[in-house]
C-alpha cells in the first residue's frame, strides 16, 4: 500500500510539473522585464519581494523637471498590478538632485517607502505605506517625519518584530 501511495504521489508531481504556466517574468536572463518606459530619466530603483512572491519596484522618474516617486507591484507570476504606468506615489517638489532612499515590504505585504523632498520649503523626510491594492494607508501625502531646515538624507526603514516601523536618516545641521 505504501508503494502504491508513493507511486501516486510521484505521478501527481510529474503531472503538475509538466503543466506549463505562462508568466510575465522572462525565463531568459538576457531579456529584461520592462517596468516603465518614459522620456525622462528613471533612477534609483529599489526592488523588494515578500515571501509570498509579490514584488514591489520603486523608482524616481524625472518628469517635467521634478523627480516623482513611482511604484509597481508584480504578482508571483510577474504580472503588473498597478497598470502600465505604475502608481504615482508622490509628485511633490523635489530638489534638483536626489539622495538615496529606502523601500521595504512589511509582514502585511504592503510597501513602505521613505524619501525626502522640499514640498514644505526645507528638505524633510516623508514615509508612505502602500497596500497591494494601491491604497495610501498613511494618507495621500504620506507622513512627514521631520520638520526643520537641516539637510536630511538617505532614510532607512525597518519593521520590528512587534510590527512597528523605525525610520532613520542622516541629518546635517545648518
Amino acid at each position: 500500500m505504501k508503494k502504491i501511495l508513493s507511486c501516486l504521489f510521484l505521478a501527481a508531481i510529474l503531472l503538475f510539473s509538466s503543466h506549463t504556466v505562462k508568466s510575465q517574468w522572462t525565463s531568459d536572463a538576457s531579456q529584461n522585464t520592462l517596468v516603465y518606459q518614459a522620456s525622462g530619466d528613471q533612477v534609483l530603483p529599489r526592488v523588494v519581494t515578500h515571501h509570498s512572491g509579490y514584488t514591489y519596484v520603486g523608482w524616481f522618474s524625472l518628469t517635467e523637471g521634478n523627480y516623482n516617486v513611482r511604484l509597481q507591484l508584480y504578482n508571483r507570476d510577474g504580472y503588473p498590478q498597478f497598470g502600465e504606468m505604475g502608481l504615482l506615489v508622490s509628485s511633490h517638489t523635489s530638489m534638483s538632485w536626489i539622495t538615496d532612499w529606502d523601500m521595504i515590504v512589511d509582514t502585511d505585504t504592503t510597501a513602505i517607502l521613505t524619501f525626502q523632498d522640499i514640498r514644505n520649503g526645507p528638505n524633510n523626510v516623508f514615509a508612505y505605506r502602500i497596500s497591494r491594492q494601491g491604497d495610501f494607508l498613511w494618507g495621500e501625502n504620506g507622513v512627514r517625519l521631520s520638520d526643520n531646515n537641516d539637510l536630511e538624507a538617505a532614510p532607512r526603514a525597518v519593521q520590528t518584530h512587534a510590527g512597528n516601523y523605525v525610520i532613520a536618516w542622516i541629518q546635517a545641521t545648518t
Side-chain angles (χ1 to χ4, degrees):
M1 182 68 169
K2 199 175 203 184
K3 192 172 189 178
I4 293 172
L5 288 176
S6 296
C7 288
L8 287 175
F9 181 71
L10 180 59
I13 289 175
L14 291 173
L15 175 67
F16 288 114
S17 66
S18 67
H19 177 69
T20 58
V21 178
K22 293 193 175 220
S23 67
Q24 187 69 17
W25 298 122
T26 178
S27 59
D28 182 352
S30 68
Q31 297 294 316
N32 294 319
T33 298
L34 181 64
V35 174
Y36 181 73
Q37 187 170 5
S39 59
D41 292 341
Q42 311 304 310
V43 297
L44 290 178
R46 297 289 176 267
V47 179
V48 293
T49 301
H50 188 264
H51 62 80
S52 65
Y54 285 90
T55 299
Y56 287 95
V57 179
W59 70 97
F60 282 84
S61 176
L62 183 58
T63 306
E64 299 176 6
N66 191 60
Y67 284 102
N68 297 328
V69 180
R70 301 195 76 85
L71 182 67
Q72 182 59 270
L73 171 64
Y74 292 92
N75 66 15
R76 63 187 62 110
D77 294 323
Y79 290 99
Q81 303 299 293
F82 294 155
E84 185 179 305
M85 303 293 287
L87 181 69
L88 177 62
V89 174
S90 175
S91 62
H92 290 287
T93 306
S94 65
M95 296 182 292
S96 60
W97 53 275
I98 51 177
T99 67
D100 206 5
W101 67 291
D102 201 16
M103 181 174 69
I104 63 170
V105 62
D106 67 13
T107 55
D108 294 329
T109 324
T110 60
I112 309 300
L113 297 88
T114 183
F115 52 89
Q116 75 276 355
D117 63 39
I118 57 173
R119 70 180 77 172
N120 299 328
N123 181 35
N124 289 304
V125 176
F126 291 84
Y128 288 76
R129 186 170 184 233
I130 310 294
S131 74
R132 282 191 356 217
Q133 295 73 32
D135 298 322
F136 286 69
L137 301 176
W138 288 344
E140 185 178 309
N141 294 310
V143 176
R144 183 171 60 188
L145 300 177
S146 64
D147 186 14
N148 58 59
N149 292 322
D150 296 336
L151 173 65
E152 297 160 328
R156 293 289 179 257
V158 66
Q159 183 180 26
T160 68
H161 291 291
N164 299 311
Y165 303 95
V166 176
I167 300 174
W169 57 89
I170 299 168
Q171 181 177 27
T173 57
T174 53

